[in-house]
Amino acid sequence: MNMSIPILLVSVLLFFVLFFGIGFLLNMLLRQTWIMAIIYPIIFVLIVDNVRFIEYITNPKSSFTLLGNKMISLSAFDIIILLFGFFGAICSGFVIKTLRSKGYQMF
């Protein structure tokens, strides 16, 4: 599927802001700096694959085979968008860490 550059830019911005915001809130509430960066690979799998998550436990061979096939078939645009979501999650960890080191107490 072809995607135009403006759609890519908007999607990249949305994924970055979405995962930065979710990561910032989770870090602030749970007081664990890198929680979203740890959870993001699970979210990545849920976004990319349409297999139920329990299938990875009950039928791992076919589930991981399907996941591998899906990941290989991703376009460059999809990979860029998902990487910027991960970058947003990591940036939220750095921002929280910096704010805490400067003395800001969040919850």
Side-chain angles (χ1 to χ4, degrees):
M1 179 171 96
N2 275 339
M3 185 182 301
S4 66
I5 299 299
I7 293 173
L8 174 68
L9 293 175
V10 169
S11 299
V12 162
L13 182 64
L14 283 174
F15 261 66
F16 180 83
V17 170
L18 176 75
F19 286 104
F20 178 86
I22 293 171
F24 191 86
L25 290 173
L26 280 177
N27 291 333
M28 189 171 54
L29 294 173
L30 300 177
R31 299 189 59 79
Q32 295 182 356
T33 305
W34 302 108
I35 189 74
M36 192 61 200
I38 294 168
I39 295 173
Y40 188 80
I42 296 170
I43 295 171
F44 179 88
V45 168
L46 292 173
I47 290 172
V48 170
D49 205 3
N50 55 1
V51 175
R52 291 185 352 196
F53 195 71
I54 194 72
E55 294 284 328
Y56 288 101
I57 298 168
T58 60
N59 193 4
K61 184 176 180 180
S62 67
S63 299
F64 282 107
T65 303
L66 287 172
L67 176 63
N69 292 338
K70 276 286 223 191
M71 289 181 70
I72 290 171
S73 68
L74 287 175
S75 70
F77 288 122
D78 295 331
I79 293 170
I80 291 169
I81 292 168
L82 290 168
L83 283 176
F84 268 87
F86 185 61
F87 184 60
I90 290 174
C91 284
S92 71
F94 282 118
V95 168
I96 285 285
K97 193 172 184 179
T98 303
L99 288 172
R100 285 189 183 136
S101 71
K102 294 194 185 260
Y104 290 96
Q105 291 286 353
M106 283 140 311
F107 291 52

